[in-house]
């Protein structure tokens, strides 16, 4: 989380990041959970097109998208298309350490994180 916090530090107070990560509790930047499993607001049936995602970005003032390592399969298609079309532009990436399995076991793994800027 420190990579995300440092990279997005100083962003405008009204600018949000749409975050596709499992653990969100150490984020210190304004964010919207993007995983449909963790956010009832992200209904895969409702966000089946690039136009729907673009509307969400405008409505929620989302300027950044954070994925690790990829989007959830149920919403990946339109988001990958937005990347291919240049609407989501990678600006930073890093391999971060995260827990693997149950936290109590202490096992860790390296996970790639990509931060993308939403084109205005």
């Amino acid at each position: 989380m420190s990579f995300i916090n440092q990279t997005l530090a100083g962003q405008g107070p009204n600018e949000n990041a749409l975050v596709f990560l499992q653990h969100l509790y150490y984020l210190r930047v304004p964010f919207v959970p993007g995983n449909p499993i963790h956010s009832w607001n992200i209904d895969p049936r409702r966000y089946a097109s690039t136009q729907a995602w673009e509307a969400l970005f405008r409505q929620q003032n989302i300027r950044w998208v954070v994925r690790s390592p990829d989007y959830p399969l149920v919403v990946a298609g339109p988001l990958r298309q937005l990347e291919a079309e240049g609407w989501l532009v990678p600006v930073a990436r890093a391999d971060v350490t995260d827990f693997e399995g149950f936290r109590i076991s202490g096992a860790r793994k390296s996970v790639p994180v990509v931060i993308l800027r939403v084109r205005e």
Side-chain angles (χ1 to χ4, degrees):
M1 294 304 153
S2 63
F3 163 69
I4 298 166
N5 290 332
Q6 290 172 358
T7 303
L8 298 182
Q11 70 178 351
N14 296 327
E15 292 183 340
N16 293 311
L18 181 66
V19 181
F20 293 95
L21 298 173
Q22 182 174 351
H23 304 291
L24 303 172
Y25 39 82
Y26 289 116
L27 280 178
R28 302 291 179 246
V29 295
F31 72 93
V32 174
N35 192 328
I37 293 171
H38 302 127
S39 175
W40 61 269
N41 193 31
I42 305 297
D43 181 349
R45 294 170 297 190
R46 191 170 158 203
Y47 294 104
S49 70
T50 57
Q51 294 81 11
W53 284 101
E54 291 169 14
L56 175 72
F57 297 156
R58 283 188 301 277
Q59 292 165 355
Q60 298 287 322
N61 205 24
I62 294 170
R63 299 291 176 251
W64 310 96
V65 175
V66 180
R67 63 175 170 82
S68 175
D70 204 357
Y71 307 106
L73 286 177
V74 295
V75 295
L79 292 165
R80 286 184 189 143
Q81 186 176 347
L82 287 171
E83 282 190 47
E85 293 173 359
W87 277 92
L88 297 176
V89 180
V91 294
R93 64 181 74 222
D95 288 327
V96 300
T97 303
D98 195 7
F99 288 103
E100 183 171 26
F102 292 106
R103 184 181 198 114
I104 195 164
S105 70
R108 296 202 172 247
K109 63 181 177 180
S110 180
V111 180
V113 174
V114 178
I115 298 176
L116 303 108
R117 172 83 172 152
V118 176
R119 187 176 81 188
E120 295 179 26

